Amino acid sequence: MAFKEFITIERVDKLTKNEFIERYYKPQKPVVITNQIEDWPAYTKWNFPFLREVAGEKTVPLYDGRKTDYTKKVNEPDFKMTMSEYIDILEKGPTDLRIFLYNLMKDVPSMKYDMHWPDLGPRLLKNLPLVFFGGEDAKVFMHYDIDFPNIFHIHFAGRKQCLLIDPKESKYMYRLPYSWLCNENIDFDNPDYEKFPALKKVNPYITHLEHGDMLYMPEGWWHYMKYLTPGFSLSLRSLAGRPKNLFRGLANVALIRHYDNWMRRYKGQQWLDYKDRESVRRTNELLFKEESQTDKGN
C-alpha cells in the first residue's frame, strides 16, 4: 500500500531574500519557488537538442536501478557513454538510467553564462553546480545528502515527482549504518508496512516539478525522486548553516565514507547484508520501545 497521507509542499511565486530567509531558511521548511529563473537564458535554452549541441561528445556517468554493489565505491557510476548516446536512450522510451551528481559545467563552462546564482541568502558553492538526469520511470533512491547542504533543485524539461521526509523522522527510516540512505528493499511508491512497520510513523511531503520550478530542500532532508517523463535538473548548494549539521557532514565526507568503502573491500557482500539487517533490527527495536512506553502510559 502507498503512504496513507502526504503533506503537499507549499508553492510560492518569486521570493525576495528576506522572504526566503524568514519563511523557509530559518525554519528549515521546504518550498517550491516558481518564476524565480525566468530571466535566466537557461530557461529558454536548456533542453535536449541544446545539450546535444554543446555536450553531445562529453562522456557522462550513468547509474541504473540496481542495489548497492560492494565492488564499487560510494557513488561510483555503473556505466559511461556520451551525452548524445544517453539522450538517444531517453528519447526511445522508459529507462532506469540516470545521470547523478555530474558537474556538467566543468566540462562545458559556457553553460555558466546561461544561469544566475540565486541571491536568496545561503552562500552557494560556485564550483559545484551539479546536474541530474533521468528517463521516464527512473527513480533516485531515498537518501539525504552526505554533506547536509541547503539545496536549490531547479528542474528543466519534463515532469518529476519529489518525495521529501523531515530529518526529525530519520529514526523511522531504516537508515543503513555508516550511510546516508535507507534500506534499499523499501519501495517508497508502495511501502510494505508489515516488513517495515516504522514507516507508518513517517509523514512524507510531496510535490511535482515542471520546467523552471525551483525546489528548496533544507539540510538533511530525505528525498526520493521519480521521473515521470525524461528530464534533468540543476542543483545548487551551500554548506550547512547549523554547526551540528556542518560537523556531521564533514565527518561523513572525511571519515565515514572512507570507512564504508574500506569495509566493502574487506567484508564484501557480508558488509552490505549486515547493514541491511541492522537497519531493520535497530529501527524495529526503537519502534517496539516507543510503543511499549505508550502502552504503559495508557
Side-chain angles (χ1 to χ4, degrees):
M1 75 173 50
F3 286 105
K4 296 176 182 177
E5 293 184 6
F6 294 95
I7 302 168
T8 300
I9 297 175
E10 184 181 358
R11 297 179 70 89
V12 298
D13 199 27
K14 189 172 184 176
L15 293 172
T16 66
K17 180 193 292 188
N18 287 340
E19 288 172 339
F20 172 75
I21 290 174
E22 293 300 322
R23 290 161 56 183
Y24 304 103
Y25 179 73
K26 285 184 177 179
Q28 289 287 278
K29 178 183 175 183
V31 63
V32 176
I33 311 171
T34 61
N35 300 316
Q36 194 77 27
I37 70 157
E38 289 188 345
D39 61 337
W40 293 18
Y43 183 78
T44 53
K45 289 175 62 176
W46 286 11
N47 51 36
F48 289 125
F50 172 77
L51 292 172
R52 279 187 188 277
E53 179 182 344
V54 300
E57 299 306 313
K58 302 299 182 183
T59 299
V60 298
L62 295 172
Y63 302 80
D64 60 19
R66 75 184 73 183
K67 291 180 60 178
T68 300
D69 184 342
Y70 75 87
T71 65
K72 295 181 180 295
K73 296 180 180 179
V74 173
N75 292 335
E76 183 179 345
D78 298 313
F79 307 99
K80 291 184 179 180
M81 64 179 68
T82 67
M83 178 68 82
S84 286
E85 290 171 331
Y86 177 57
I87 293 174
D88 286 342
I89 293 173
L90 294 183
E91 293 177 342
K92 285 179 181 177
T95 176
D96 65 354
L97 289 178
R98 299 176 289 108
I99 294 177
F100 186 71
L101 291 173
Y102 174 39
N103 193 340
L104 175 60
M105 294 183 203
K106 185 177 181 180
D107 288 341
V108 189
S110 61
M111 292 181 66
K112 291 183 179 180
Y113 299 105
D114 294 337
M115 57 167 287
H116 308 303
W117 293 91
D119 183 20
L120 291 172
R123 181 178 295 179
L124 299 171
L125 301 173
K126 294 192 175 181
N127 63 331
L128 283 177
L130 301 174
V131 296
F132 301 78
F133 287 64
E136 181 181 348
D137 293 339
K139 300 175 183 179
V140 182
F141 50 83
M142 179 70 80
H143 68 289
Y144 61 87
D145 281 33
I146 183 173
D147 51 346
F148 289 83
N150 291 277
I151 299 173
F152 295 113
H153 191 73
I154 305 154
H155 193 60
F156 295 90
R159 197 162 184 260
K160 178 160 75 171
Q161 175 184 289
C162 307
L163 199 68
L164 272 60
I165 294 173
D166 193 319
K168 294 176 182 177
E169 298 180 345
S170 292
K171 61 184 179 180
Y172 303 125
M173 289 294 292
Y174 295 91
R175 185 178 70 84
L176 297 172
Y178 308 101
S179 186
W180 32 93
L181 63 156
C182 64
N183 191 299
E184 293 173 274
N185 294 311
I186 298 173
D187 178 0
F188 278 92
D189 290 324
N190 191 29
D192 187 334
Y193 291 138
E194 292 188 4
K195 290 183 179 179
F196 305 103
L199 292 177
K200 294 179 182 178
K201 300 279 191 176
V202 170
N203 299 283
Y205 289 69
I206 195 170
T207 192
H208 292 83
L209 299 182
E210 298 185 355
H211 182 86
D213 288 344
M214 178 190 290
L215 170 63
Y216 168 61
M217 293 187 286
E219 300 167 20
W221 277 66
W222 294 84
H223 43 283
Y224 162 73
M225 309 289 192
K226 181 167 67 173
Y227 290 84
L228 305 179
T229 68
F232 61 98
S233 303
L234 169 70
S235 273
L236 308 177
R237 59 182 53 212
S238 73
L239 293 176
R242 283 136 188 83
K244 179 180 178 181
N245 288 340
L246 182 61
F247 174 79
R248 292 170 68 188
L250 290 173
N252 283 341
V253 172
L255 298 173
I256 295 174
R257 174 181 57 173
H258 298 292
Y259 176 74
D260 187 48
N261 283 332
W262 183 82
M263 288 298 287
R264 291 187 198 192
R265 293 195 301 271
Y266 179 62
K267 290 287 189 179
Q269 188 61 41
Q270 290 182 1
W271 173 243
L272 300 185
D273 292 342
Y274 160 78
K275 296 209 299 180
D276 279 347
R277 291 193 304 271
E278 278 297 286
S279 71
V280 174
R281 184 191 67 80
R282 294 179 185 184
T283 306
N284 285 347
E285 184 177 273
L286 172 69
L287 180 66
F288 177 76
K289 287 181 180 178
E290 286 189 352
E291 291 179 341
S292 297
Q293 291 173 354
T294 301
D295 289 341
K296 289 179 181 179
N298 294 333

